[in-house]
């Protein structure tokens, strides 16, 4: 319908009033028909937009409204089922076997039964509930359950297995519970996992302090750091200890607490971060430098200058590795080889360094910075320290050459970096402290044990209990080292106030 034409016809009198009324009635009926069809279509499609309900309409909310209508006096709550821990007597009835525990060095005839304790143990790959009958001596001596921490209902090997799965493998508490139930037939709750980890960490805190002392008296230390869910995580790996500090700050004061540059006399292998600048002997990571050069060739594949830098750097590094391995060379021969390598760096990067170019754009600026960095490190004697350094003596009694890269510490931090990216890191200082202790002790034990398995680790820790001192304490005694008065752990990661 042409509305403008209709207005003109009405104004000129060509359309009567009756005709106009009929037209309005017809359009009104058509509009009503359209509304009816729309309503039917919405009904077929599931209805129109539902009215917004301000109140919650869950089952629990409805039950609360019904209780309010009935009144408080008429409320009837269902009697809850019994939950919680089983009694000790009930657990003892479920035990698969029994074992008597007498005080060490006493005749069983002189002892009398004191009490019984159920303890879960891992035997032949599955969980077994053992009832230990503990006897008391004439002077109130008690038998000690082997491989049990305090009054825990789980053997030490279970705590170690959980710590390895959570902090070394990187599994969640839920997955650890599933794995222990599936493979070892041991049902655990997340709260039990948390409690066992906390107890084991407290047991190993003094061992962690010993590892810090051994680190400070090492010959070579690999150091690297990365950001984390809480501040940063810092790795220090030596031939005597492997420590990872979670949740600490990445600054000079933290480094001084862990590895004081003014006191440490060994070699520190690291990247070129400013925080490592004050050590007397340093080896900068060649992998970092080579990656920077390779990146230039990928950004500008047609540049002959970038390609020449990369090829020459690879050649120089390989020459340095050959000189380190050459058994025919003595100290003087290796020093002469290092002088030749320094001359090669000067020939390669000297022109750019002498030119003192201003900041440039893009890859050209990266090329300038890399040449200047190589010259600075060469002049500071931090490029070829690994060539002239004496081989290190490992815990196993073997000798190993000093590395020219920091790849080992980077690989160690890979798990922490992945945990950060997926939001799996700790959010509290207490959790960071616990992870610091457990990861450091387990990774250090990897150096000491030729077969790093659950059985060997549990046997070694039980040996600590039987002898009254750990392998770390034995090494400290051999090296005539003493624990400091102030714990580094308490200084960097103090126990939060509850």
């Amino acid at each position: 319908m042409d509305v403008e034409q209709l207005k003109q016809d009405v104004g000129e009198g060509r359309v009567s009033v009756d005709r106009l009324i009929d037209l309005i009635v017809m359009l009104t009926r058509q509009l009503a028909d359209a509304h009816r069809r729309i309503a039917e279509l919405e009904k077929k499609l599931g209805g129109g937009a539902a009215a917004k309900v301000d109140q919650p309409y869950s089952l629990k909310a409805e039950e609360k409204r019904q209780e309010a209508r009935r009144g408080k006096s008429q409320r009837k709550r269902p009697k809850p089922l019994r939950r919680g821990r089983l009694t000790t007597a009930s657990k003892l009835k479920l035990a698969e076997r029994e074992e008597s525990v007498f005080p060490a060095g006493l005749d069983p005839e002189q002892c009398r039964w004191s009490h019984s304790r159920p303890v879960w143990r891992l035997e032949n790959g599955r969980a077994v509930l053992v009832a230990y009958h503990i006897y008391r001596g004439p002077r109130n001596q008690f038998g000690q359950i082997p491989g049990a921490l305090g009054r825990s209902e789980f053997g030490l090997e279970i705590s170690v297995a959980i710590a390895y799965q959570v902090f070394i493998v990187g599994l969640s508490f839920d997955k650890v519970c599933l794995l222990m139930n599936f493979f070892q037939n041991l049902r655990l709750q997340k709260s039990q996992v948390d409690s066992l980890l906390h107890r084991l960490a407290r047991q190993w805190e003094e061992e962690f302090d010993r590892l810090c002392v051994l680190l400070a008296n090492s010959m070579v230390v690999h150091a690297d750091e990365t950001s984390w869910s809480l501040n940063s995580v810092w790795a220090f790996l030596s031939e005597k200890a492997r420590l990872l500090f979670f949740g600490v700050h990445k600054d000079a004061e933290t480094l001084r607490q862990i590895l004081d540059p003014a006191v440490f006399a060994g070699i520190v292998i690291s990247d070129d971060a400013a925080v490592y600048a004050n050590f007397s002997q340093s080896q900068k990571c060649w992998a970092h430098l080579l990656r920077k050069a390779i990146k230039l060739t990928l950004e500008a594949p047609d540049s002959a200058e970038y390609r020449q830098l990369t090829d020459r750097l690879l050649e120089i590094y390989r020459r340095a590795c050959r000189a380190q391995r050459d058994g025919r060379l003595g100290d003087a021969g290796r020093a002469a080889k290092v002088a030749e390598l320094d001359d090669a760096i000067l020939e390669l990067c000297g022109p750019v360094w002498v030119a003192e170019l201003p900041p440039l754009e893009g890859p050209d600026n990266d090329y300038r910075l890399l040449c200047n960095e190589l010259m600075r490190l060469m002049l500071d004697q931090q490029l070829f320290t690994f060539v002239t350094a004496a081989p290190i003596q490992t815990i196993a009694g073997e000798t190993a050459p000093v590395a020219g890269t920091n790849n080992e510490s980077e690989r160690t931090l890979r798990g922490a970096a992945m945990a950060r990216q997926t939001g799996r890191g700790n959010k509290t200082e207490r959790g960071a402290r616990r992870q610091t202790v457990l990861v450091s002790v387990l990774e250090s034990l990897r150096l000491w044990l030729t077969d790093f398995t659950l059985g060997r680790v549990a046997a070694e820790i039980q040996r600590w209990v039987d002898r009254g001192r750990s392998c770390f304490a034995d090494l400290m005694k051999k090296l005539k080292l003493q624990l400091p008065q102030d714990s580094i752990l308490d200084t960097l990661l103090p126990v939060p106030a509850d």
Side-chain angles (χ1 to χ4, degrees):
M1 178 185 294
D2 191 346
V3 178
E4 296 298 330
Q5 183 63 41
L6 179 60
K7 289 181 180 179
Q8 184 178 354
D9 291 344
V10 171
E12 296 177 356
R14 290 195 294 269
V15 177
S16 64
V17 176
D18 293 338
R19 172 61 180 160
L20 186 59
I21 293 174
D22 292 341
L23 184 60
I24 293 173
V25 171
M26 181 187 68
L27 293 176
T28 302
R29 290 174 179 173
Q30 290 179 353
L31 182 60
D33 267 350
H35 281 299
R36 180 178 56 79
R37 289 195 298 270
I38 291 174
E40 292 176 353
L41 183 60
E42 288 180 346
K43 186 176 180 180
K44 290 181 181 179
L45 296 177
K52 185 176 180 181
V53 179
D54 295 332
Q55 297 182 4
Y57 46 89
S58 64
L59 178 60
K60 186 176 181 179
E62 180 60 25
E63 290 175 349
K64 289 183 177 180
R65 285 190 288 267
Q66 290 180 359
E67 289 180 358
R69 288 194 296 269
R70 287 196 300 264
K72 293 183 178 180
S73 60
Q74 300 180 3
R75 293 180 184 176
K76 294 183 180 180
R77 296 181 179 273
K79 185 178 180 180
L81 298 175
R82 185 186 182 280
R83 299 182 63 185
R85 299 176 59 185
L86 295 174
T87 62
T88 300
S90 300
K91 294 178 181 178
L92 291 173
K93 293 179 181 179
L94 300 175
E96 295 189 25
R97 63 180 178 85
E98 300 178 359
E99 187 173 328
S100 298
V101 182
F102 298 94
L106 291 182
D107 186 355
E109 297 295 333
Q110 300 176 345
C111 305
R112 57 188 176 89
W113 176 81
S114 173
H115 60 281
S116 297
R117 274 183 55 196
V119 178
W120 284 100
R121 310 307 299 257
L122 291 182
E123 298 178 356
N124 298 323
R126 71 181 189 92
V128 176
L129 185 61
V130 181
Y132 287 97
H133 302 300
I134 302 173
Y135 286 78
R136 179 187 301 181
R139 297 184 179 180
N140 213 28
Q141 311 100 313
F142 285 92
Q144 300 295 325
I145 300 176
L149 296 179
R151 301 179 63 184
S152 174
E153 296 180 358
F154 298 91
L156 178 65
E157 66 278 4
I158 295 177
S159 300
V160 172
I162 291 173
Y164 183 85
Q165 292 178 75
V166 172
F167 295 125
I168 305 300
V169 181
L171 301 180
S172 65
F173 283 11
D174 290 313
K175 291 182 179 179
V176 169
C177 293
L178 290 174
L179 285 177
M180 297 297 288
N181 185 24
F182 184 80
F183 288 105
Q184 282 79 35
N185 196 26
L186 177 62
R187 294 184 179 180
L188 290 172
Q189 302 295 326
K190 293 199 314 184
S191 59
Q192 292 175 310
V193 171
D194 182 75
S195 177
L196 290 174
L197 292 176
H198 182 64
R199 182 188 293 270
L200 186 62
R202 286 189 302 172
Q203 185 78 13
W204 284 354
E205 285 182 356
E206 189 172 354
E207 303 304 329
F208 178 84
D209 288 334
R210 292 191 175 97
L211 290 174
C212 292
V213 175
L214 293 176
L215 178 77
N217 290 273
S218 299
M219 295 176 59
V220 177
V221 173
H222 293 250
D224 198 14
E225 74 291 327
T226 186
S227 57
W228 200 52
S229 57
L230 186 66
N231 298 321
S232 300
V233 54
W234 214 328
F236 296 90
L237 314 179
S238 77
E239 74 279 3
K240 296 184 178 68
R242 299 169 67 93
L243 286 99
L244 282 85
F245 292 82
F246 293 85
V248 297
H249 294 284
K250 188 180 66 174
D251 53 22
E253 178 59 26
T254 303
L255 180 61
R256 187 187 67 80
Q257 294 286 343
I258 302 172
L259 199 67
D260 191 353
V263 177
F264 183 69
I267 300 173
V268 173
I269 303 176
S270 67
D271 55 23
D272 196 22
V275 72
Y276 303 112
N278 297 322
F279 286 98
S280 57
Q281 296 188 79
S282 295
Q283 172 62 58
K284 297 309 177 184
C285 177
W286 268 91
H288 283 76
L289 300 172
L290 291 171
R291 283 197 292 263
K292 292 178 182 179
I294 294 171
K295 181 182 177 182
L296 288 173
T297 62
L298 297 177
E299 291 178 339
D302 297 331
S303 174
E305 192 174 16
Y306 298 166
R307 172 52 60 186
Q308 180 184 10
L309 174 67
T310 302
D311 293 343
R312 290 290 306 279
L313 276 182
L314 281 170
E315 178 188 351
I316 292 171
Y317 175 64
R318 288 166 180 162
R319 286 171 54 190
C321 293
R322 287 196 297 269
Q324 183 196 41
R325 296 191 302 265
D326 194 343
R328 299 169 299 176
L329 298 176
D331 294 340
R334 287 190 174 83
K337 290 291 184 180
V338 168
E340 295 176 4
L341 296 171
D342 287 341
D343 292 340
I345 293 292
L346 177 62
E347 180 185 356
L348 179 63
C349 305
V352 176
W353 180 64
V354 171
E356 297 183 353
L357 299 174
L360 305 173
E361 297 291 335
D364 289 338
N365 192 57
D366 295 336
Y367 175 74
R368 177 186 68 87
L369 292 175
L370 178 56
C371 290
N372 291 341
E373 181 181 10
L374 287 166
M375 284 296 301
R376 173 175 55 81
L377 296 178
M378 184 270 291
L379 294 174
D380 292 339
Q381 298 183 351
Q382 297 180 355
L383 281 181
F384 305 107
T385 307
F386 75 101
V387 178
T388 57
I392 58 176
Q393 188 81 15
T394 65
I395 294 298
E398 302 175 351
T399 57
V402 176
T405 68
N406 202 27
N407 292 339
E408 185 180 7
S409 58
E410 287 186 340
R411 288 193 298 268
T412 303
L413 290 178
R414 189 173 299 162
M418 294 178 64
R420 175 200 67 214
Q421 295 172 0
T422 55
R424 292 289 308 280
N426 283 304
K427 304 300 188 296
T428 64
E429 293 180 358
R430 188 183 301 275
R433 178 186 174 105
R434 177 174 67 182
Q435 186 168 355
T436 295
V437 173
L438 294 178
V439 173
S440 298
V441 174
L442 286 174
E443 289 293 348
S444 296
L445 278 172
R446 193 191 297 269
L447 295 176
W448 290 74
L449 301 177
T450 54
D451 296 325
F452 187 67
T453 61
L454 176 59
R456 290 295 305 276
V457 172
E460 175 64 22
I461 298 172
Q462 182 59 41
R463 191 175 69 90
W464 299 356
V465 177
D466 297 339
R467 299 174 66 248
R469 63 182 185 276
S470 66
C471 56
F472 310 134
D474 288 340
L475 183 56
M476 285 185 58
K477 183 179 180 180
K478 180 180 179 181
L479 299 177
K480 298 180 180 181
L481 302 174
Q482 299 292 330
L483 281 173
Q485 294 182 351
D486 298 327
S487 169
I488 295 178
L489 184 65
D490 291 337
T491 302
L492 295 179
L493 295 167
V495 178
D498 293 329

